[in-house]
Amino acid sequence: MTLPAWLTAVNFNTDGLIPAIAQDYQSGRILMMAWMNVEALALTAQTQTAVYFSRSRAKLWHKGESSGHTQTVHDIRLDCDADVIVLSVTQAGGIACHTGRESCFYQSLDLSGATPEWHTVDKVLKDPADIYDTPKPASTQSNTEHTAMNSGDDDRQAHAHKGSVLQQLDSVLAERKHADADSSYVASLYAKGLNKILEKVGEESTESIIAAKDLANCDEAQNKAHYDAARHELIYEVADVWFHTLVGLAWFDIESDAVLNELGRRFGLSGIDEKASR
């Protein structure tokens, strides 16, 4: 197949990809970065909506296909080395990031202290559970790390026994071992292997540490809204740590009850004595 001249002018890397930066058409703010292959770039130009290439799924990814947060493309620019694309877009819903924020670049490096620290500076505009969740039973539910944890309505969750939530997750995680990697986030983790699952545990743990530091630096009395947002962020990130840890346990066919039983065994034991007995 002969490519048109404008596509042959683009320097795709050895994997046939080029980084694409999406920038807000009005404000100029950088919203996200993703990858494009020849087909994705051609479709973006043809449809004037952003189409990217998912490296993890090895397939085209129409931005907003699951969230509804599509990107209308006004301008496509190529840098001087012809190896980076910049899209000028209108972001549907004002949310480009899967975390429910306007931009994926929501952490700022604070250089004011003795040690540089990453701080979350953008608030969550919409809970990801509300973006990606669908009213389906757990056995058939579309999966991301958020939807698996948020099956059912808020009222049912508020009154559900905490143990039953873990048991439901055990069931979902076991079922996802036999699911198509293209249709399930958890199945895609299983397909990539244990190292990828452990990498996600580490990544989410780091994000929890950052969120905890951010909350520690908030003054509830001075800025209640900021404090509440930081508190929600810490809860959200810790939930991600728990979830990915459960995926790691499920890899070895270990259910959450095993951990609960171990915690129960430790009641009444001195923590110092318990540690010394290991």
Side-chain angles (χ1 to χ4, degrees), residues 82-122:
D83 58 4
V84 177
I85 292 287
V86 174
L87 306 177
S88 180
V89 306
T90 294
Q91 176 65 62
I95 296 173
C97 184
H98 77 282
T99 65
R101 294 179 173 85
E102 176 190 10
S103 170
C104 293
F105 297 91
Y106 58 83
Q107 296 182 79
S108 176
L109 188 61
D110 183 359
L111 300 175
S112 61
T115 304
E117 292 184 354
W118 290 106
H119 285 181
T120 298
V121 295
D122 288 3

Side-chain angles (χ1 to χ4, degrees), residues 129 132-153 156-157 168-169 172 175-176 179-180 183-187 243:
Y132 297 101
D133 202 7
T134 56
K136 297 179 181 179
S139 61
T140 58
Q141 187 176 29
S142 168
N143 223 338
T144 67
E145 61 196 76
H146 311 293
T147 57
M149 290 189 290
N150 289 283
S151 57
D153 56 55
R156 186 174 72 231
Q157 286 181 2
Q168 289 175 43
L169 270 174
V172 170
E175 179 185 293
R176 293 299 188 256
D180 184 351
S183 64
S184 163
Y185 171 76
V186 174
F243 176 77

Side-chain angles (χ1 to χ4, degrees), residues 119-131:
H119 285 181
T120 298
V121 295
D122 288 3
K123 65 180 181 180
V124 174
L125 301 179
K126 189 173 183 179
D127 191 323
D130 295 330
I131 297 173

Side-chain angles (χ1 to χ4, degrees), residues 5-85:
W6 71 272
L7 275 174
T8 60
V10 178
N11 287 331
F12 294 93
N13 65 20
T14 53
D15 294 321
L17 302 174
I18 186 170
I21 299 167
Q23 189 175 32
D24 185 83
Y25 177 60
Q26 296 292 339
S27 68
R29 183 178 186 189
I30 295 174
L31 301 177
M32 58 174 284
M33 176 269 168
W35 296 90
M36 288 183 169
N37 62 3
V38 169
E39 188 178 1
L41 182 54
L43 280 172
T44 297
Q46 177 186 336
T47 64
Q48 295 183 38
T49 58
V51 180
Y52 301 105
F53 182 81
S54 170
R55 294 178 297 170
S56 62
R57 294 178 294 165
K59 61 186 292 188
L60 292 178
W61 161 42
H62 294 251
K63 174 63 178 173
E65 61 189 13
S66 57
S67 67
H69 296 153
T70 55
Q71 292 174 347
T72 300
V73 177
H74 301 278
D75 190 26
I76 302 175
R77 298 204 176 199
L78 188 64
D79 81 324
C80 56
D81 294 321
D83 58 4
V84 177
I85 292 287

